[in-house]
PDB file of all heavy atoms in Angstrom:
ATOM      1  N   VAL Z   1      81.782  25.139  94.102  1.00 47.00           N
ATOM      2  CA  VAL Z   1      81.992  25.406  95.514  1.00 47.00           C
ATOM      3  C   VAL Z   1      83.474  25.661  95.794  1.00 47.00           C
ATOM      4  O   VAL Z   1      83.853  26.561  96.529  1.00 47.00           O
ATOM      5  CB  VAL Z   1      81.489  24.227  96.369  1.00 47.00           C
ATOM      6  CG1 VAL Z   1      81.857  24.442  97.828  1.00 47.00           C
ATOM      7  CG2 VAL Z   1      79.988  24.074  96.216  1.00 47.00           C
ATOM      8  N   GLU Z   2      84.334  24.852  95.154  1.00 46.00           N
ATOM      9  CA  GLU Z   2      85.766  24.981  95.390  1.00 46.00           C
ATOM     10  C   GLU Z   2      86.343  26.239  94.751  1.00 46.00           C
ATOM     11  O   GLU Z   2      87.188  26.918  95.315  1.00 46.00           O
ATOM     12  CB  GLU Z   2      86.494  23.752  94.825  1.00 46.00           C
ATOM     13  CG  GLU Z   2      86.132  22.466  95.555  1.00 46.00           C
ATOM     14  CD  GLU Z   2      86.716  21.260  94.862  1.00 46.00           C
ATOM     15  OE1 GLU Z   2      87.447  21.450  93.862  1.00 46.00           O
ATOM     16  OE2 GLU Z   2      86.453  20.134  95.307  1.00 46.00           O
ATOM     17  N   ARG Z   3      85.868  26.594  93.565  1.00 45.00           N
ATOM     18  CA  ARG Z   3      86.482  27.685  92.826  1.00 45.00           C
ATOM     19  C   ARG Z   3      85.880  29.045  93.146  1.00 45.00           C
ATOM     20  O   ARG Z   3      86.548  30.057  93.075  1.00 45.00           O
ATOM     21  CB  ARG Z   3      86.343  27.442  91.312  1.00 45.00           C
ATOM     22  CG  ARG Z   3      86.991  26.154  90.838  1.00 45.00           C
ATOM     23  CD  ARG Z   3      86.817  26.043  89.345  1.00 45.00           C
ATOM     24  NE  ARG Z   3      87.155  24.709  88.861  1.00 45.00           N
ATOM     25  CZ  ARG Z   3      87.097  24.339  87.582  1.00 45.00           C
ATOM     26  NH1 ARG Z   3      86.726  25.205  86.669  1.00 45.00           N
ATOM     27  NH2 ARG Z   3      87.412  23.118  87.222  1.00 45.00           N
ATOM     28  N   ASP Z   4      84.595  29.061  93.483  1.00 45.00           N
ATOM     29  CA  ASP Z   4      83.909  30.343  93.641  1.00 45.00           C
ATOM     30  C   ASP Z   4      83.660  30.622  95.117  1.00 45.00           C
ATOM     31  O   ASP Z   4      82.629  30.261  95.661  1.00 45.00           O
ATOM     32  CB  ASP Z   4      82.580  30.341  92.878  1.00 45.00           C
ATOM     33  CG  ASP Z   4      82.794  30.233  91.382  1.00 45.00           C
ATOM     34  OD1 ASP Z   4      83.953  30.163  90.965  1.00 45.00           O
ATOM     35  OD2 ASP Z   4      81.791  30.225  90.652  1.00 45.00           O
ATOM     36  N   THR Z   5      84.600  31.290  95.772  1.00 43.00           N
ATOM     37  CA  THR Z   5      84.445  31.559  97.199  1.00 43.00           C
ATOM     38  C   THR Z   5      83.350  32.572  97.471  1.00 43.00           C
ATOM     39  O   THR Z   5      82.787  32.609  98.551  1.00 43.00           O
ATOM     40  CB  THR Z   5      85.773  32.078  97.784  1.00 43.00           C
ATOM     41  OG1 THR Z   5      86.171  33.236  97.037  1.00 43.00           O
ATOM     42  CG2 THR Z   5      86.861  31.024  97.658  1.00 43.00           C
ATOM     43  N   GLN Z   6      83.030  33.416  96.477  1.00 45.00           N
ATOM     44  CA  GLN Z   6      81.977  34.411  96.647  1.00 45.00           C
ATOM     45  C   GLN Z   6      80.749  34.035  95.832  1.00 45.00           C
ATOM     46  O   GLN Z   6      80.053  34.876  95.299  1.00 45.00           O
ATOM     47  CB  GLN Z   6      82.485  35.789  96.196  1.00 45.00           C
ATOM     48  CG  GLN Z   6      83.667  36.309  97.002  1.00 45.00           C
ATOM     49  CD  GLN Z   6      83.292  36.552  98.437  1.00 45.00           C
ATOM     50  OE1 GLN Z   6      82.182  36.961  98.717  1.00 45.00           O
ATOM     51  NE2 GLN Z   6      84.214  36.304  99.355  1.00 45.00           N
ATOM     52  N   ARG Z   7      80.464  32.734  95.733  1.00 48.00           N
ATOM     53  CA  ARG Z   7      79.353  32.251  94.910  1.00 48.00           C
ATOM     54  C   ARG Z   7      78.011  32.753  95.449  1.00 48.00           C
ATOM     55  O   ARG Z   7      77.897  33.000  96.651  1.00 48.00           O
ATOM     56  CB  ARG Z   7      79.335  30.729  94.896  1.00 48.00           C
ATOM     57  CG  ARG Z   7      79.056  30.142  96.277  1.00 48.00           C
ATOM     58  CD  ARG Z   7      79.292  28.648  96.303  1.00 48.00           C
ATOM     59  NE  ARG Z   7      78.966  28.093  97.584  1.00 48.00           N
ATOM     60  CZ  ARG Z   7      79.726  28.171  98.655  1.00 48.00           C
ATOM     61  NH1 ARG Z   7      80.857  28.827  98.591  1.00 48.00           N
ATOM     62  NH2 ARG Z   7      79.355  27.629  99.796  1.00 48.00           N
ATOM     63  N   PRO Z   8      77.013  32.871  94.610  1.00 53.00           N
ATOM     64  CA  PRO Z   8      75.680  33.227  95.109  1.00 53.00           C
ATOM     65  C   PRO Z   8      75.101  32.074  95.911  1.00 53.00           C
ATOM     66  O   PRO Z   8      75.298  30.916  95.565  1.00 53.00           O
ATOM     67  CB  PRO Z   8      74.878  33.470  93.832  1.00 53.00           C
ATOM     68  CG  PRO Z   8      75.586  32.673  92.795  1.00 53.00           C
ATOM     69  CD  PRO Z   8      77.037  32.711  93.159  1.00 53.00           C
ATOM     70  N   ARG Z   9      74.424  32.376  96.992  1.00 59.00           N
ATOM     71  CA  ARG Z   9      73.802  31.322  97.791  1.00 59.00           C
ATOM     72  C   ARG Z   9      72.642  30.730  97.019  1.00 59.00           C
ATOM     73  O   ARG Z   9      71.843  31.428  96.424  1.00 59.00           O
ATOM     74  CB  ARG Z   9      73.316  31.907  99.119  1.00 59.00           C
ATOM     75  CG  ARG Z   9      74.465  32.303 100.024  1.00 59.00           C
ATOM     76  CD  ARG Z   9      74.039  33.302 101.074  1.00 59.00           C
ATOM     77  NE  ARG Z   9      72.797  32.935 101.716  1.00 59.00           N
ATOM     78  CZ  ARG Z   9      72.686  32.722 103.031  1.00 59.00           C
ATOM     79  NH1 ARG Z   9      73.717  32.815 103.800  1.00 59.00           N
ATOM     80  NH2 ARG Z   9      71.509  32.426 103.549  1.00 59.00           N
ATOM     81  N   ILE Z  10      72.513  29.411  97.047  1.00 57.00           N
ATOM     82  CA  ILE Z  10      71.516  28.734  96.232  1.00 57.00           C
ATOM     83  C   ILE Z  10      70.104  29.089  96.676  1.00 57.00           C
ATOM     84  O   ILE Z  10      69.174  29.150  95.872  1.00 57.00           O
ATOM     85  CB  ILE Z  10      71.738  27.212  96.269  1.00 57.00           C
ATOM     86  CG1 ILE Z  10      71.082  26.571  95.056  1.00 57.00           C
ATOM     87  CG2 ILE Z  10      71.210  26.603  97.550  1.00 57.00           C
ATOM     88  CD1 ILE Z  10      71.694  26.983  93.746  1.00 57.00           C
ATOM     89  N   ILE Z  11      69.915  29.379  97.984  1.00 61.00           N
ATOM     90  CA  ILE Z  11      68.579  29.765  98.443  1.00 61.00           C
ATOM     91  C   ILE Z  11      68.178  31.105  97.841  1.00 61.00           C
ATOM     92  O   ILE Z  11      67.015  31.371  97.571  1.00 61.00           O
ATOM     93  CB  ILE Z  11      68.525  29.808  99.984  1.00 61.00           C
ATOM     94  CG1 ILE Z  11      67.064  29.848 100.460  1.00 61.00           C
ATOM     95  CG2 ILE Z  11      69.317  30.986 100.516  1.00 61.00           C
ATOM     96  CD1 ILE Z  11      66.935  29.673 101.948  1.00 61.00           C
ATOM     97  N   ASP Z  12      69.187  31.974  97.571  1.00 63.00           N
ATOM     98  CA  ASP Z  12      68.904  33.239  96.920  1.00 63.00           C
ATOM     99  C   ASP Z  12      68.406  33.005  95.504  1.00 63.00           C
ATOM    100  O   ASP Z  12      67.453  33.630  95.046  1.00 63.00           O
ATOM    101  CB  ASP Z  12      70.164  34.100  96.858  1.00 63.00           C
ATOM    102  CG  ASP Z  12      70.643  34.522  98.237  1.00 63.00           C
ATOM    103  OD1 ASP Z  12      69.983  34.138  99.214  1.00 63.00           O
ATOM    104  OD2 ASP Z  12      71.653  35.212  98.312  1.00 63.00           O
ATOM    105  N   LEU Z  13      69.074  32.078  94.766  1.00 57.00           N
ATOM    106  CA  LEU Z  13      68.664  31.802  93.394  1.00 57.00           C
ATOM    107  C   LEU Z  13      67.233  31.282  93.352  1.00 57.00           C
ATOM    108  O   LEU Z  13      66.445  31.658  92.495  1.00 57.00           O
ATOM    109  CB  LEU Z  13      69.618  30.781  92.759  1.00 57.00           C
ATOM    110  CG  LEU Z  13      71.065  31.247  92.577  1.00 57.00           C
ATOM    111  CD1 LEU Z  13      71.893  30.103  92.028  1.00 57.00           C
ATOM    112  CD2 LEU Z  13      71.134  32.442  91.653  1.00 57.00           C
ATOM    113  N   ARG Z  14      66.903  30.397  94.290  1.00 61.00           N
ATOM    114  CA  ARG Z  14      65.537  29.856  94.317  1.00 61.00           C
ATOM    115  C   ARG Z  14      64.529  30.966  94.601  1.00 61.00           C
ATOM    116  O   ARG Z  14      63.483  31.052  93.965  1.00 61.00           O
ATOM    117  CB  ARG Z  14      65.427  28.779  95.390  1.00 61.00           C
ATOM    118  CG  ARG Z  14      66.249  27.536  95.119  1.00 61.00           C
ATOM    119  CD  ARG Z  14      65.936  26.449  96.116  1.00 61.00           C
ATOM    120  NE  ARG Z  14      64.581  25.970  95.937  1.00 61.00           N
ATOM    121  CZ  ARG Z  14      63.981  25.133  96.800  1.00 61.00           C
ATOM    122  NH1 ARG Z  14      64.613  24.734  97.874  1.00 61.00           N
ATOM    123  NH2 ARG Z  14      62.753  24.729  96.579  1.00 61.00           N
ATOM    124  N   GLY Z  15      64.863  31.817  95.571  1.00 65.00           N
ATOM    125  CA  GLY Z  15      63.935  32.888  95.912  1.00 65.00           C
ATOM    126  C   GLY Z  15      63.744  33.868  94.788  1.00 65.00           C
ATOM    127  O   GLY Z  15      62.611  34.246  94.456  1.00 65.00           O
ATOM    128  N   PHE Z  16      64.848  34.290  94.147  1.00 58.00           N
ATOM    129  CA  PHE Z  16      64.737  35.241  93.042  1.00 58.00           C
ATOM    130  C   PHE Z  16      64.010  34.614  91.861  1.00 58.00           C
ATOM    131  O   PHE Z  16      63.273  35.294  91.146  1.00 58.00           O
ATOM    132  CB  PHE Z  16      66.129  35.725  92.621  1.00 58.00           C
ATOM    133  CG  PHE Z  16      66.687  36.772  93.523  1.00 58.00           C
ATOM    134  CD1 PHE Z  16      67.870  36.558  94.215  1.00 58.00           C
ATOM    135  CD2 PHE Z  16      66.030  37.979  93.707  1.00 58.00           C
ATOM    136  CE1 PHE Z  16      68.387  37.524  95.061  1.00 58.00           C
ATOM    137  CE2 PHE Z  16      66.544  38.950  94.558  1.00 58.00           C
ATOM    138  CZ  PHE Z  16      67.719  38.717  95.236  1.00 58.00           C
ATOM    139  N   SER Z  17      64.212  33.308  91.625  1.00 58.00           N
ATOM    140  CA  SER Z  17      63.515  32.669  90.498  1.00 58.00           C
ATOM    141  C   SER Z  17      62.012  32.663  90.739  1.00 58.00           C
ATOM    142  O   SER Z  17      61.231  32.893  89.824  1.00 58.00           O
ATOM    143  CB  SER Z  17      64.033  31.236  90.298  1.00 58.00           C
ATOM    144  OG  SER Z  17      63.584  30.374  91.319  1.00 58.00           O
ATOM    145  N   ARG Z  18      61.601  32.419  91.995  1.00 61.00           N
ATOM    146  CA  ARG Z  18      60.168  32.435  92.291  1.00 61.00           C
ATOM    147  C   ARG Z  18      59.579  33.820  92.049  1.00 61.00           C
ATOM    148  O   ARG Z  18      58.486  33.961  91.499  1.00 61.00           O
ATOM    149  CB  ARG Z  18      59.936  32.027  93.747  1.00 61.00           C
ATOM    150  CG  ARG Z  18      60.149  30.552  94.019  1.00 61.00           C
ATOM    151  CD  ARG Z  18      59.701  30.230  95.414  1.00 61.00           C
ATOM    152  NE  ARG Z  18      60.108  28.901  95.817  1.00 61.00           N
ATOM    153  CZ  ARG Z  18      59.883  28.407  97.029  1.00 61.00           C
ATOM    154  NH1 ARG Z  18      59.257  29.131  97.926  1.00 61.00           N
ATOM    155  NH2 ARG Z  18      60.286  27.184  97.343  1.00 61.00           N
ATOM    156  N   LEU Z  19      60.308  34.853  92.501  1.00 58.00           N
ATOM    157  CA  LEU Z  19      59.813  36.209  92.295  1.00 58.00           C
ATOM    158  C   LEU Z  19      59.709  36.535  90.817  1.00 58.00           C
ATOM    159  O   LEU Z  19      58.760  37.181  90.369  1.00 58.00           O
ATOM    160  CB  LEU Z  19      60.740  37.213  92.986  1.00 58.00           C
ATOM    161  CG  LEU Z  19      60.665  37.257  94.502  1.00 58.00           C
ATOM    162  CD1 LEU Z  19      61.698  38.233  95.042  1.00 58.00           C
ATOM    163  CD2 LEU Z  19      59.279  37.648  94.977  1.00 58.00           C
ATOM    164  N   ALA Z  20      60.699  36.088  90.028  1.00 56.00           N
ATOM    165  CA  ALA Z  20      60.673  36.361  88.594  1.00 56.00           C
ATOM    166  C   ALA Z  20      59.484  35.670  87.940  1.00 56.00           C
ATOM    167  O   ALA Z  20      58.812  36.232  87.065  1.00 56.00           O
ATOM    168  CB  ALA Z  20      61.977  35.895  87.949  1.00 56.00           C
ATOM    169  N   ILE Z  21      59.210  34.446  88.355  1.00 57.00           N
ATOM    170  CA  ILE Z  21      58.082  33.702  87.799  1.00 57.00           C
ATOM    171  C   ILE Z  21      56.760  34.383  88.151  1.00 57.00           C
ATOM    172  O   ILE Z  21      55.898  34.610  87.303  1.00 57.00           O
ATOM    173  CB  ILE Z  21      58.083  32.261  88.334  1.00 57.00           C
ATOM    174  CG1 ILE Z  21      59.307  31.517  87.796  1.00 57.00           C
ATOM    175  CG2 ILE Z  21      56.805  31.521  87.934  1.00 57.00           C
ATOM    176  CD1 ILE Z  21      59.685  30.328  88.638  1.00 57.00           C
ATOM    177  N   ASP Z  22      56.620  34.746  89.442  1.00 60.00           N
ATOM    178  CA  ASP Z  22      55.387  35.423  89.874  1.00 60.00           C
ATOM    179  C   ASP Z  22      55.216  36.751  89.161  1.00 60.00           C
ATOM    180  O   ASP Z  22      54.114  37.133  88.775  1.00 60.00           O
ATOM    181  CB  ASP Z  22      55.413  35.647  91.387  1.00 60.00           C
ATOM    182  CG  ASP Z  22      55.354  34.339  92.156  1.00 60.00           C
ATOM    183  OD1 ASP Z  22      54.916  33.335  91.570  1.00 60.00           O
ATOM    184  OD2 ASP Z  22      55.754  34.324  93.330  1.00 60.00           O
ATOM    185  N   ALA Z  23      56.324  37.488  88.985  1.00 54.00           N
ATOM    186  CA  ALA Z  23      56.249  38.776  88.297  1.00 54.00           C
ATOM    187  C   ALA Z  23      55.836  38.597  86.849  1.00 54.00           C
ATOM    188  O   ALA Z  23      55.030  39.365  86.310  1.00 54.00           O
ATOM    189  CB  ALA Z  23      57.603  39.487  88.372  1.00 54.00           C
ATOM    190  N   THR Z  24      56.379  37.552  86.178  1.00 52.00           N
ATOM    191  CA  THR Z  24      56.023  37.303  84.784  1.00 52.00           C
ATOM    192  C   THR Z  24      54.541  37.004  84.645  1.00 52.00           C
ATOM    193  O   THR Z  24      53.860  37.518  83.755  1.00 52.00           O
ATOM    194  CB  THR Z  24      56.850  36.128  84.230  1.00 52.00           C
ATOM    195  OG1 THR Z  24      58.238  36.442  84.353  1.00 52.00           O
ATOM    196  CG2 THR Z  24      56.525  35.879  82.763  1.00 52.00           C
ATOM    197  N   LEU Z  25      54.015  36.173  85.535  1.00 56.00           N
ATOM    198  CA  LEU Z  25      52.583  35.854  85.480  1.00 56.00           C
ATOM    199  C   LEU Z  25      51.745  37.099  85.758  1.00 56.00           C
ATOM    200  O   LEU Z  25      50.722  37.323  85.106  1.00 56.00           O
ATOM    201  CB  LEU Z  25      52.260  34.766  86.504  1.00 56.00           C
ATOM    202  CG  LEU Z  25      52.818  33.371  86.182  1.00 56.00           C
ATOM    203  CD1 LEU Z  25      52.599  32.434  87.363  1.00 56.00           C
ATOM    204  CD2 LEU Z  25      52.155  32.797  84.931  1.00 56.00           C
ATOM    205  N   GLY Z  26      52.195  37.913  86.735  1.00 56.00           N
ATOM    206  CA  GLY Z  26      51.438  39.127  87.042  1.00 56.00           C
ATOM    207  C   GLY Z  26      51.421  40.104  85.894  1.00 56.00           C
ATOM    208  O   GLY Z  26      50.386  40.695  85.572  1.00 56.00           O
ATOM    209  N   VAL Z  27      52.571  40.304  85.244  1.00 51.00           N
ATOM    210  CA  VAL Z  27      52.629  41.223  84.106  1.00 51.00           C
ATOM    211  C   VAL Z  27      51.800  40.689  82.949  1.00 51.00           C
ATOM    212  O   VAL Z  27      51.134  41.445  82.233  1.00 51.00           O
ATOM    213  CB  VAL Z  27      54.094  41.443  83.675  1.00 51.00           C
ATOM    214  CG1 VAL Z  27      54.158  42.201  82.358  1.00 51.00           C
ATOM    215  CG2 VAL Z  27      54.843  42.221  84.746  1.00 51.00           C
ATOM    216  N   THR Z  28      51.802  39.359  82.753  1.00 54.00           N
ATOM    217  CA  THR Z  28      50.982  38.764  81.694  1.00 54.00           C
ATOM    218  C   THR Z  28      49.508  39.084  81.922  1.00 54.00           C
ATOM    219  O   THR Z  28      48.788  39.489  81.003  1.00 54.00           O
ATOM    220  CB  THR Z  28      51.176  37.237  81.656  1.00 54.00           C
ATOM    221  OG1 THR Z  28      52.549  36.955  81.392  1.00 54.00           O
ATOM    222  CG2 THR Z  28      50.316  36.608  80.559  1.00 54.00           C
ATOM    223  N   ASP Z  29      49.042  38.918  83.160  1.00 58.00           N
ATOM    224  CA  ASP Z  29      47.650  39.244  83.480  1.00 58.00           C
ATOM    225  C   ASP Z  29      47.368  40.720  83.255  1.00 58.00           C
ATOM    226  O   ASP Z  29      46.321  41.106  82.732  1.00 58.00           O
ATOM    227  CB  ASP Z  29      47.349  38.884  84.940  1.00 58.00           C
ATOM    228  CG  ASP Z  29      47.303  37.381  85.169  1.00 58.00           C
ATOM    229  OD1 ASP Z  29      47.171  36.635  84.184  1.00 58.00           O
ATOM    230  OD2 ASP Z  29      47.399  36.979  86.343  1.00 58.00           O
ATOM    231  N   LEU Z  30      48.305  41.572  83.661  1.00 51.00           N
ATOM    232  CA  LEU Z  30      48.114  43.012  83.519  1.00 51.00           C
ATOM    233  C   LEU Z  30      47.986  43.416  82.056  1.00 51.00           C
ATOM    234  O   LEU Z  30      47.072  44.153  81.670  1.00 51.00           O
ATOM    235  CB  LEU Z  30      49.301  43.731  84.181  1.00 51.00           C
ATOM    236  CG  LEU Z  30      49.281  45.245  84.257  1.00 51.00           C
ATOM    237  CD1 LEU Z  30      50.052  45.702  85.488  1.00 51.00           C
ATOM    238  CD2 LEU Z  30      49.901  45.879  83.027  1.00 51.00           C
ATOM    239  N   VAL Z  31      48.894  42.930  81.215  1.00 52.00           N
ATOM    240  CA  VAL Z  31      48.872  43.287  79.794  1.00 52.00           C
ATOM    241  C   VAL Z  31      47.609  42.755  79.126  1.00 52.00           C
ATOM    242  O   VAL Z  31      46.987  43.429  78.300  1.00 52.00           O
ATOM    243  CB  VAL Z  31      50.132  42.761  79.085  1.00 52.00           C
ATOM    244  CG1 VAL Z  31      50.042  43.001  77.587  1.00 52.00           C
ATOM    245  CG2 VAL Z  31      51.372  43.439  79.647  1.00 52.00           C
ATOM    246  N   GLU Z  32      47.202  41.534  79.527  1.00 57.00           N
ATOM    247  CA  GLU Z  32      46.000  40.963  78.925  1.00 57.00           C
ATOM    248  C   GLU Z  32      44.767  41.804  79.276  1.00 57.00           C
ATOM    249  O   GLU Z  32      43.903  42.051  78.419  1.00 57.00           O
ATOM    250  CB  GLU Z  32      45.798  39.526  79.388  1.00 57.00           C
ATOM    251  CG  GLU Z  32      44.578  38.874  78.726  1.00 57.00           C
ATOM    252  CD  GLU Z  32      44.372  37.447  79.174  1.00 57.00           C
ATOM    253  OE1 GLU Z  32      45.023  37.036  80.142  1.00 57.00           O
ATOM    254  OE2 GLU Z  32      43.562  36.749  78.558  1.00 57.00           O
ATOM    255  N   THR Z  33      44.686  42.254  80.527  1.00 58.00           N
ATOM    256  CA  THR Z  33      43.551  43.083  80.932  1.00 58.00           C
ATOM    257  C   THR Z  33      43.519  44.388  80.153  1.00 58.00           C
ATOM    258  O   THR Z  33      42.466  44.838  79.678  1.00 58.00           O
ATOM    259  CB  THR Z  33      43.621  43.372  82.443  1.00 58.00           C
ATOM    260  OG1 THR Z  33      43.649  42.138  83.159  1.00 58.00           O
ATOM    261  CG2 THR Z  33      42.426  44.191  82.894  1.00 58.00           C
ATOM    262  N   MET Z  34      44.683  45.022  80.017  1.00 50.00           N
ATOM    263  CA  MET Z  34      44.749  46.260  79.253  1.00 50.00           C
ATOM    264  C   MET Z  34      44.335  46.016  77.800  1.00 50.00           C
ATOM    265  O   MET Z  34      43.585  46.808  77.212  1.00 50.00           O
ATOM    266  CB  MET Z  34      46.167  46.839  79.298  1.00 50.00           C
ATOM    267  CG  MET Z  34      46.296  48.189  78.570  1.00 50.00           C
ATOM    268  SD  MET Z  34      48.003  48.742  78.503  1.00 50.00           S
ATOM    269  CE  MET Z  34      48.319  48.985  80.221  1.00 50.00           C
ATOM    270  N   HIS Z  35      44.795  44.906  77.218  1.00 52.00           N
ATOM    271  CA  HIS Z  35      44.459  44.564  75.837  1.00 52.00           C
ATOM    272  C   HIS Z  35      42.942  44.460  75.675  1.00 52.00           C
ATOM    273  O   HIS Z  35      42.356  45.023  74.753  1.00 52.00           O
ATOM    274  CB  HIS Z  35      45.127  43.246  75.461  1.00 52.00           C
ATOM    275  CG  HIS Z  35      45.024  42.910  74.004  1.00 52.00           C
ATOM    276  ND1 HIS Z  35      46.030  42.289  73.313  1.00 52.00           N
ATOM    277  CD2 HIS Z  35      44.028  43.091  73.105  1.00 52.00           C
ATOM    278  CE1 HIS Z  35      45.671  42.108  72.058  1.00 52.00           C
ATOM    279  NE2 HIS Z  35      44.448  42.579  71.915  1.00 52.00           N
ATOM    280  N   ARG Z  36      42.308  43.762  76.600  1.00 57.00           N
ATOM    281  CA  ARG Z  36      40.851  43.583  76.488  1.00 57.00           C
ATOM    282  C   ARG Z  36      40.110  44.902  76.682  1.00 57.00           C
ATOM    283  O   ARG Z  36      39.175  45.213  75.944  1.00 57.00           O
ATOM    284  CB  ARG Z  36      40.365  42.555  77.507  1.00 57.00           C
ATOM    285  CG  ARG Z  36      38.855  42.342  77.436  1.00 57.00           C
ATOM    286  CD  ARG Z  36      38.392  41.204  78.302  1.00 57.00           C
ATOM    287  NE  ARG Z  36      36.947  41.061  78.222  1.00 57.00           N
ATOM    288  CZ  ARG Z  36      36.301  40.427  77.248  1.00 57.00           C
ATOM    289  NH1 ARG Z  36      36.982  39.884  76.248  1.00 57.00           N
ATOM    290  NH2 ARG Z  36      34.985  40.353  77.243  1.00 57.00           N
ATOM    291  N   ASN Z  37      40.533  45.716  77.664  1.00 53.00           N
ATOM    292  CA  ASN Z  37      39.839  46.976  77.926  1.00 53.00           C
ATOM    293  C   ASN Z  37      39.928  47.922  76.738  1.00 53.00           C
ATOM    294  O   ASN Z  37      38.967  48.614  76.398  1.00 53.00           O
ATOM    295  CB  ASN Z  37      40.430  47.655  79.170  1.00 53.00           C
ATOM    296  CG  ASN Z  37      39.983  46.973  80.446  1.00 53.00           C
ATOM    297  OD1 ASN Z  37      38.966  46.286  80.465  1.00 53.00           O
ATOM    298  ND2 ASN Z  37      40.753  47.142  81.504  1.00 53.00           N
ATOM    299  N   ILE Z  38      41.092  47.972  76.073  1.00 47.00           N
ATOM    300  CA  ILE Z  38      41.237  48.838  74.913  1.00 47.00           C
ATOM    301  C   ILE Z  38      40.453  48.295  73.728  1.00 47.00           C
ATOM    302  O   ILE Z  38      39.790  49.028  72.989  1.00 47.00           O
ATOM    303  CB  ILE Z  38      42.724  48.996  74.545  1.00 47.00           C
ATOM    304  CG1 ILE Z  38      43.443  49.756  75.673  1.00 47.00           C
ATOM    305  CG2 ILE Z  38      42.895  49.734  73.230  1.00 47.00           C
ATOM    306  CD1 ILE Z  38      44.935  49.861  75.475  1.00 47.00           C
TER     307      ILE Z  38
END
């Protein structure tokens, strides 16, 4: 906090982490479906 005056806001990190997690799960489902269909 003291050294980084332009630090990323922590609420942003939480939000982006949730999106990354949801995206990973979604892509996992997508690839698995394609694997089974082929």
Side-chain angles (χ1 to χ4, degrees):
V1 173
E2 294 172 3
R3 300 181 192 180
D4 295 0
T5 56
Q6 298 296 325
R7 65 190 183 282
R9 291 160 46 120
I10 201 65
I11 195 171
D12 294 0
L13 295 176
R14 294 188 67 189
F16 281 119
S17 72
R18 287 188 191 177
L19 287 177
I21 293 158
D22 293 340
T24 302
L25 290 172
V27 170
T28 300
D29 289 342
L30 185 150
V31 174
E32 183 180 12
T33 303
M34 183 186 295
H35 189 144
R36 180 172 179 82
N37 285 338
I38 294 175

